[in-house]
Every structure is written in structure tokens, then in C-alpha cells.
């Protein structure tokens, strides 16, 4: 079958919840994906911040194959060695004390919210606790995660959400403080807002919210699903702030392609929240997923991924700054490490479509922002190639009206 035929079949079988690019993938290698007609694309999307190690890493593939030949799934009623290894390594890179494995990011958020409610319940026996979340946040598509997602567009048709969630403005401490009551059990935000437009947490905000949480015995939950696993130059983005969350979430790059996530907590929260029978999952922490997590963390060290993120991230910053200076329709450039965004005057769909034509994959964040989230193995030469293509797309569009096509949100 040719590409068009596959796409027609897809559109008659899959539920239409995405407006997909007209591409059917065949395989990946390093920084590149290949479609079934053999066209090669430089990838600055990485499966939405998932494929940190690039495609087809041999050591990663071999570790998965070896685990497949042993056992793929058992059950959480027993122990398995990959889960033990992966949990130990996650503790080490995060500094947290207890790990619960999930199958996705949204499920990690669900678990974090349940842990916070249980913690508060054990403190005062009440069942009316409140959670403070941020406007423009994104935490996933399940009901709990959606309930703390501060974007009405994702929620509207699915109301009512879980109760007692209040929204504050991100990076505005007074707005958070104004929402605190005796019932507040948790504050949740992304250390760097991803879908909301690549907004890093400001240092003062992080410190002030942490202090407020300490003072009122409120749990701080940081969502590191997109910005974690080295993407900003530290294993977890919060580690550069000199504070620590009580509960955190991780997913996306933590398995580098195998569906897996985790929520983690400090010992203090672990001792006073979820216990036997409170939470569970059939697949979560299965040997195959955990073999992936374990190998990913080893490879981060072996390949010195953080060093590359810091060096190539700085280089990317410089190059995007230069583009922002060159074109009037670029309003702002933000981000940290290999998580950066260019905010444009209008919708960025046309730019991204042109880039795809020229063999470069980019993704938006909201309507107006081009997001740059490449595999963490990206080189300066790859950045140069990417910048060359984006520059060419911008040049073609100069004078014409940028921003006619409304983008989907992920
Ligand atoms: C992607 C994402 C999620 C949801 O993860 P899924 O694996 O898609 O459920 C949650 N929070 C953040 C910050 C994300 O970027």
C-alpha cells in the first residue's frame, strides 16, 4: 500500500481525535525519522519529548530484547528485578524516597493527586480538601489530570471535573496565596509549563510557594513529565531551584518510548498517605517497562546526556535568539536546556507545515508558539541544520501573513 492508502485506512479505523500530518512512519535512526516512501526528516519533536536517546539506540534495543526473552509481564502481586533496579535508579536521580510506576503521565498525575488527598485525610479526617492548580497548565487527559489542567478548551465538554480544584496564575505568588484555605491539601504545577507555552517557573515563585506549603502543611506536587529526565540540563528541572517537591511526576522520556511513568514522594508523605489497597495498576512497573527505565538511566550516564543538554541547549538558545532578532513577527524566545519556544505574532501552523515539507519536524505549544524539544543527543550540527530550514521558512513567509491556520493542541 502507498502512503495515501494507509492514511485512508487509518482514517476509517482510528477514532479521529487528532488532525495528523500526512506521514506514515517506517523507522527511526538517531535524530532522523523515515517515512514509508524513504523521505528523511530531522526530528525536533522526539515523539513529544519522549525519545531522549534518539531512535534505534542499540544498547536500549538490546536491553528490551533481552527482557522480552525472559518475561514481559508478571503482576504487582510479586516482585521483579527490573522494577527494583529502576526504582533504585529513579530514587538516585530524583532524590525522592518512594516510587510508584504507572503506564502514562496522566496516571502519574492521578496517583499524585490521590496521595495528596489521602495525606490530608489522615491529618484531619475530612473529605473536602482543595487542590490549587495553575492557569494554562497541562497535566493530562484523564478526569483527575484534566481537573487540574488550567485550560477550559480541554475540559469544557467533559464537566463536571473532580471537585475542589482552584486555579491561580502561574508565577504569581499572591494569586496562589489568595486561594489557600484551611482545606488546601496540595499545590500542583509544571516546573516548566510545556503545552501552555514553554514558561519556566520563576525562582522567587518556587521559593515562595515552597515556604507557603511548609508553613501550612500543604504538599507541593511538581509535574516533571515533559521538563524532567534531563531536558532542562538537570535530571529533574526542580533540582536547579534549591527546593524539593513532596510529590513529583515523571513520564515521557523516562522510558524513551515504552509507555511508562511514575510518581514519587518523600518518605514523610509515603508514611502518611497511600498504603496497601489504596492504589494499584495491572501493568504499572512491569518488567519490560522497567527494563527500559533502568537502561535509559544507565545510558544517560554513559552518554553524558546532561553535558550535551547544557552545551547544545546553550547553542540552541543563541541561534534562536538570533532568529528572534531577525524577524519582526517573533515576539519572544523562552526556555531552558533543550526545551525552548519561539512565540510568534500569529498561528505557527504554516511555518510548521513548511518545515515538514523541507524534512524538519517541529511542534507547536498552543497556537502561537513553536516548540523545540529534540532528542537529547542532538548535536550543534543538527541545530545548524534545523535553524537553516526554519530560517528559510520564515524568509518565505516574510511579508505574507504569518498565522492563518489554527493549530490543534496536543
Ligand atoms: C504529556 C504531559 C502529561 C500527560 O502525559 P500522558 O503520558 O500523555 O498521559 C502530563 N503533564 C505534562 C506536563 C505533560 O507534558
Amino acid at each position: 500500500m502507498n502512503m495515501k492508502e494507509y492514511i485512508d485506512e487509518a482514517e476509517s479505523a482510528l477514532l479521529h481525535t487528532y488532525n495528523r500530518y500526512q506521514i506514515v512512519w517506517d523507522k527511526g535512526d538517531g535524530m532522523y525519522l523515515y517515512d514509508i516512501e524513504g523521505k528523511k526528516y530531522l526530528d525536533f519533536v522526539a515523539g513529544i519529548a519522549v525519545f531522549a536517546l534518539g531512535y534505534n539506540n542499540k544498547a536500549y534495543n538490546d536491553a528490551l530484547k533481552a527482557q522480552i526473552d525472559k518475561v514481559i509481564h508478571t503482576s504487582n502481586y510479586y516482585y521483579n528485578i527490573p522494577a527494583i533496579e529502576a526504582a533504585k535508579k529513579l530514587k538516585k536521580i530524583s532524590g525522592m524516597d518512594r516510587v510508584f510506576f504507572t503506564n502514562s503521565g496522566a496516571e502519574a498525575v492521578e496517583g499524585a493527586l490521590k496521595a495528596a488527598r489521602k495525606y490530608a485525610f489522615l491529618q484531619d479526617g475530612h473529605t473536602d480538601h482543595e487542590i490549587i492548580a495553575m492557569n494554562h497548565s497541562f497535566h493530562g487527559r484523564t478526569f483527575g489530570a484534566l481537573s487540574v489542567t488550567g485550560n477550559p478548551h480541554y475540559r469544557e465538554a467533559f464537566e463536571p471535573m473532580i471537585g475542589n480544584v482552584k486555579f491561580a496564575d502561574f508565577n504569581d505568588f499572591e494569586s496562589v496565596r489568595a486561594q489557600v484555605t484551611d482545606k488546601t491539601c496540595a499545590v500542583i504545577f509544571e516546573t516548566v509549563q510545556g503545552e501552555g507555552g514553554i514558561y519556566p517557573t520563576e525562582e522567587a515563585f518556587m521559593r515562595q510557594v515552597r515556604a507557603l506549603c511548609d508553613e501550612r502543611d500543604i504538599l507541593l506536587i511538581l509535574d516533571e513529565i515533559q521538563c524532567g529526565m534531563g531536558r532542562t540540563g538537570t535530571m529533574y528541572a526542580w533540582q536547579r531551584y534549591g527546593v524539593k517537591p513532596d510529590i513529583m511526576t515523571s513520564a515521557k522520556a523516562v522510558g524513551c518510548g515504552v509507555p511508562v511513568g511514575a510518581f514519587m514522594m518523600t518518605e514523610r508523605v509515603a508514611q502518611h498517605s497511600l498504603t496497601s489497597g489504596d492504589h494499584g495498576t495491572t501493568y504499572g512497573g512491569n518488567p519490560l517497562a522497567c527494563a527500559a527505565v533502568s537502561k535509559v538511566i544507565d545510558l544517560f550516564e554513559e552518554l553524558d546526556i546532561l553535558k550535551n543538554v547544557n552545551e547544545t541547549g546553550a547553542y540552541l538558545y543563541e541561534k534562536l535568539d538570533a532568529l528572534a532578532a531577525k524577524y519582526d513577527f517573533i515576539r519572544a524566545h523562552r526556555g531552558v536546556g533543550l526545551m525552548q519556544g519561539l512565540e510568534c505574532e500569529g498561528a505557527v501552523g504554516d511555518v510548521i507545515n513548511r518545515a515538514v515539507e523541507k524534512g524538519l519536524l517541529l511542534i507547536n505549544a498552543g497556537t502561537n508558539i513553536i516548540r523545540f524539544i529534540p532528542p537529547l543527543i542532538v548535536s550543534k550540527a543538527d541545530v545548524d541544520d534545523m535553524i537553516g530550514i526554519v530560517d528559510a521558512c520564515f524568509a518565505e513567509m516574510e511579508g505574507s501573513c504569518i498565522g492563518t491556520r489554527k493549530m490543534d493542541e496536543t
Side-chain angles (χ1 to χ4, degrees):
M1 282 201 296
N2 67 24
M3 202 123 90
K4 169 85 173 60
E5 287 163 344
Y6 274 119
I7 290 169
D8 288 345
E9 288 210 327
E11 289 304 334
S12 64
L14 296 170
L15 189 66
H16 189 83
T17 54
Y18 289 94
N19 285 327
R20 298 172 206 262
Y21 291 94
Q22 301 297 295
I23 304 171
V24 180
W25 295 122
D26 180 29
K27 60 183 182 181
D29 189 34
M31 285 292 297
Y32 293 92
L33 276 172
Y34 296 80
D35 71 18
I36 59 172
E37 291 172 351
K39 183 173 169 185
K40 181 179 174 184
Y41 295 78
L42 177 62
D43 183 7
F44 268 67
V45 178
I48 315 190
V50 168
F51 250 96
L53 298 169
Y55 297 97
N56 216 11
N57 178 291
K58 186 167 184 321
Y60 172 83
N61 289 358
D62 286 346
L64 290 188
K65 288 175 193 166
Q67 189 58 46
I68 287 170
D69 287 337
K70 279 187 156 177
V71 64
I72 293 174
H73 180 77
T74 52
S75 156
N76 280 316
Y77 284 109
Y78 312 97
Y79 298 97
N80 75 73
I81 293 173
I84 298 166
E85 292 290 322
K88 267 177 21 193
K89 290 172 191 174
L90 274 177
K91 280 181 62 169
K92 183 160 168 255
I93 62 168
S94 69
M96 305 302 280
D97 299 312
R98 299 272 170 178
V99 180
F100 184 101
F101 287 109
T102 65
N103 311 293
S104 67
E107 283 172 83
V109 172
E110 298 288 331
L113 298 177
K114 278 180 74 176
R117 277 193 173 174
K118 180 75 191 289
Y119 176 90
F121 175 76
L122 289 177
Q123 301 296 310
D124 63 14
H126 295 180
T127 53
D128 57 354
H129 295 107
E130 296 169 352
I131 293 164
I132 299 174
M134 302 299 142
N135 290 317
H136 307 295
S137 61
F138 181 83
H139 296 290
R141 303 294 200 151
T142 54
F143 271 107
L146 206 52
S147 298
V148 291
T149 289
N151 184 339
H153 161 83
Y154 294 121
R155 305 155 43 113
E156 196 179 10
F158 309 104
E159 299 282 349
M161 298 285 121
I162 68 164
N164 290 15
V165 176
K166 295 171 148 187
F167 287 94
D169 290 332
F170 186 53
N171 280 332
D172 178 347
F173 176 67
E174 286 312 319
S175 125
V176 174
R177 183 155 67 184
Q179 300 288 2
V180 171
T181 72
D182 289 342
K183 298 180 187 173
T184 309
C185 69
V187 177
I188 181 169
F189 57 89
E190 298 149 87
T191 314
V192 181
Q193 281 193 342
E195 306 301 314
I198 316 293
Y199 287 96
T201 301
E202 287 167 11
E203 272 188 58
F205 181 79
M206 182 69 91
R207 271 198 313 274
Q208 286 169 312
V209 172
R210 179 68 272 182
L212 176 73
C213 288
D214 288 340
E215 192 187 307
R216 305 287 299 255
D217 199 13
I218 295 167
L219 299 180
L220 175 59
I221 304 172
L222 293 179
D223 183 342
E224 290 263 344
I225 290 167
Q226 187 162 158
C227 62
M229 284 305 289
R231 183 150 294 280
T232 69
T234 49
M235 280 311 289
Y236 286 104
W238 60 262
Q239 288 164 336
R240 69 171 69 247
Y241 292 84
V243 302
K244 191 173 171 177
D246 302 294
I247 305 176
M248 61 167 285
T249 58
S250 189
K252 291 199 163 95
V254 80
C256 278
V258 171
V260 56
F263 63 98
M264 300 181 252
M265 57 185 77
T266 61
E267 192 63 26
R268 182 177 71 93
V269 178
Q271 290 307 328
H272 302 97
S273 64
L274 301 177
T275 183
S276 315
D278 277 343
H279 199 53
T281 160
T282 299
Y283 279 137
N286 94 4
L288 181 66
C290 286
V293 174
S294 188
K295 194 66 189 179
V296 165
I297 295 173
D298 287 350
L299 286 171
F300 262 66
E301 208 162 298
E302 274 168 44
L303 301 174
D304 215 345
I305 292 287
L306 293 182
K307 180 163 174 269
N308 189 55
V309 174
N310 285 306
E311 287 178 8
T312 312
Y315 187 72
L316 174 65
Y317 205 90
E318 214 177 276
K319 294 288 161 180
L320 289 179
D321 253 5
L323 271 191
K326 186 168 170 187
Y327 294 102
D328 283 346
F329 52 73
I330 301 177
R331 265 201 243 148
H333 170 212
R334 287 187 294 273
V336 51
L338 291 172
M339 184 172 182
Q340 299 188 34
L342 283 183
E343 183 177 328
C344 298
E345 232 152 61
V348 296
D350 291 341
V351 184
I352 293 176
N353 285 337
R354 279 170 202 263
V356 169
E357 281 293 308
K358 296 181 200 300
L360 168 68
L361 301 178
L362 294 171
I363 190 172
N364 60 305
T367 304
N368 289 6
I369 296 153
I370 305 173
R371 181 166 30 156
F372 300 86
I373 44 173
L376 305 184
I377 56 161
V378 63
S379 69
K380 289 179 185 169
D382 296 323
V383 170
D384 288 339
D385 290 349
M386 179 278 289
I387 292 285
I389 296 173
V390 174
D391 196 5
C393 295
F394 281 155
E396 283 172 19
M397 298 186 71
E398 230 186 351
S400 77
C401 176
I402 180 170
T404 44
R405 177 166 169 261
K406 169 99 175 70
M407 288 303 291
D408 279 359
E409 293 172 70
T410 38

